[in-house]
Amino acid sequence: MTATEQWETEGYLVFRSVYDGRTVDRLRLISDDCLTKWRGCSPEIGKQGGDPESTVMRHLNHTGYFPDKVDRLSDILDAVADPNILGKVTEILGDTPLFRATSYFFNPLSGGGDGNWHRDSQFNTSDDDAEQKLIKQRLKTGSGIQMQIALSASEDIEYVPGSHLRWDTPDEYHIRKADNQTHNRSNEMPNAKRIDLAPGDAAMFNPMGLHRGRYHVDRLRRTLMWTYTKRSKPHCDYFSMQPWCLEEGYLLGVKQETKQFFEDFINIYQAFWQTQLRM
């Protein structure tokens, strides 16, 4: 199958060595520094970003993480807008890609374990009927792309190929939602595929499909996630709410193609940010 055919039928793709070793090391250094600062005081909320059981932080491109090291911010932005990455995203989306958010997944300091099986659709709908309608709608109009890039060796992403095309089977539903989601960490999900990534490899998947991550205290996990949507279908929500991008000099030092990519993001969302800030 071509990459597009695999994406359409299975809902995921794996790309090897999207970043070279030097870039991986640089991104790991920067991201771990952001994580340390976030655990101490998140610039978004002005207090501790998470607790010892936390496994993800958002918005590594916030200026508050780089008060005196703007070159680190430009490295993050250049990585998001890397032409090799955007070329793959453009092919799969069939549209000009629009930036949405950065995330960083990591093993917790305490607790942890195998994550919960879910579809991202369940977090935006009130009941099963509404969720099924959303999955069908996104199947027609296209959904966003989540691209997770390993900064350390990882087998911590699991996906059920083809599940983005349909509703849950009885066995899948039992694991994902039954009994108030008490079974959603089960290791018995039918046809689940564990994705093996070396540092620099990327897994791209449709978040409407069944998936989960694993987060064990004693198993190092360091995974970046770049999220993109179609330029024609922007999402105004927490993930795209990034008013710090309006700060003077935000794009200082980035490559020309990066500047164009993020200027487009800023132009599209600027009115949304300003409206939210006035509320």
Side-chain angles (χ1 to χ4, degrees):
M1 291 187 289
T2 65
T4 301
E5 289 170 341
Q6 182 178 343
W7 175 259
E8 291 176 348
T9 59
E10 298 188 352
Y12 82 98
L13 290 164
V14 175
F15 298 102
R16 303 298 179 187
S17 301
V18 296
Y19 296 133
D20 60 26
R22 183 176 180 179
T23 302
V24 168
D25 290 344
R26 178 67 172 168
L27 291 174
R28 171 75 182 275
L29 172 70
I30 296 170
S31 301
D32 278 351
D33 185 57
C34 291
L35 174 58
T36 298
K37 291 175 179 175
W38 176 82
R39 281 174 168 159
C41 182
S42 165
E44 279 192 80
I45 59 177
K47 60 182 180 181
Q48 186 179 32
D51 58 41
E53 295 188 5
S54 297
T55 59
V56 62
M57 62 171 290
R58 311 291 183 184
H59 301 315
L60 286 82
N61 59 310
H62 194 297
T63 52
Y65 292 116
F66 312 100
D68 55 358
K69 295 180 179 178
V70 294
D71 60 318
R72 292 190 173 190
L73 173 58
S74 63
D75 284 347
I76 288 285
L77 299 181
D78 283 338
V80 171
D82 183 283
N84 178 43
I85 297 287
L86 294 185
K88 301 179 189 307
V89 174
T90 300
E91 178 183 358
I92 299 307
L93 285 179
D95 195 350
T96 301
L98 177 68
F99 173 65
R100 190 175 180 201
T102 60
S103 304
Y104 196 36
F105 293 93
F106 45 85
N107 54 305
L109 300 176
S110 65
D114 294 338
N116 58 297
W117 286 100
H118 63 281
R119 300 175 186 264
D120 282 16
S121 51
Q122 72 192 59
F123 305 123
N124 301 304
T125 49
S126 57
D127 55 42
D128 287 354
D129 287 341
E131 186 182 1
Q132 290 186 63
K133 289 178 182 177
L134 179 59
I135 292 172
K136 290 179 180 179
Q137 174 190 346
R138 292 291 175 84
L139 189 59
K140 292 180 180 179
T141 63
S143 183
I145 283 177
Q146 296 182 354
M147 175 176 275
Q148 295 200 15
I149 303 112
L151 302 185
S152 62
S154 170
E155 293 181 336
D156 294 322
I157 301 169
E158 293 184 274
Y159 196 85
V160 178
S163 58
H164 65 299
L165 298 172
R166 55 169 177 76
W167 186 241
D168 301 28
T169 66
D171 287 343
E172 291 169 346
Y173 188 89
H174 176 76
I175 291 174
R176 182 170 73 101
K177 276 196 164 184
D179 303 323
N180 199 29
Q181 302 183 22
T182 56
H183 316 292
N184 65 9
R185 293 178 182 269
S186 170
N187 292 319
E188 303 301 321
M189 177 63 76
N191 303 311
K193 179 178 179 60
R194 185 171 294 167
I195 301 174
D196 183 8
L197 301 176
D201 291 348
M204 179 191 294
F205 59 87
N206 185 321
M208 295 295 106
L210 289 159
H211 63 283
R212 72 166 176 177
R214 299 190 302 165
Y215 311 93
H216 292 261
V217 172
D218 59 350
R219 183 185 299 134
L220 180 68
R221 181 170 186 187
R222 293 291 189 270
T223 309
L224 285 169
M225 184 169 78
W226 309 147
T227 306
Y228 307 90
T229 58
K230 292 183 177 181
R231 188 184 185 280
S232 59
K233 299 183 182 300
H235 294 263
C236 294
D237 56 14
Y238 161 71
F239 293 94
S240 56
M241 180 63 186
Q242 302 179 42
W244 54 85
C245 296
L246 297 173
E247 294 177 16
E248 185 177 356
Y250 183 73
L251 298 177
L252 187 67
V254 301
K255 298 176 180 178
Q256 183 59 34
E257 57 264 33
T258 301
K259 187 172 185 289
Q260 294 173 350
F261 181 70
F262 277 95
E263 283 180 339
D264 192 41
F265 170 70
I266 292 167
N267 289 336
I268 287 175
Y269 283 108
Q270 182 172 356
F272 166 60
W273 299 337
Q274 292 173 334
T275 299
Q276 293 299 304
L277 291 173
R278 288 194 295 266
M279 292 177 64

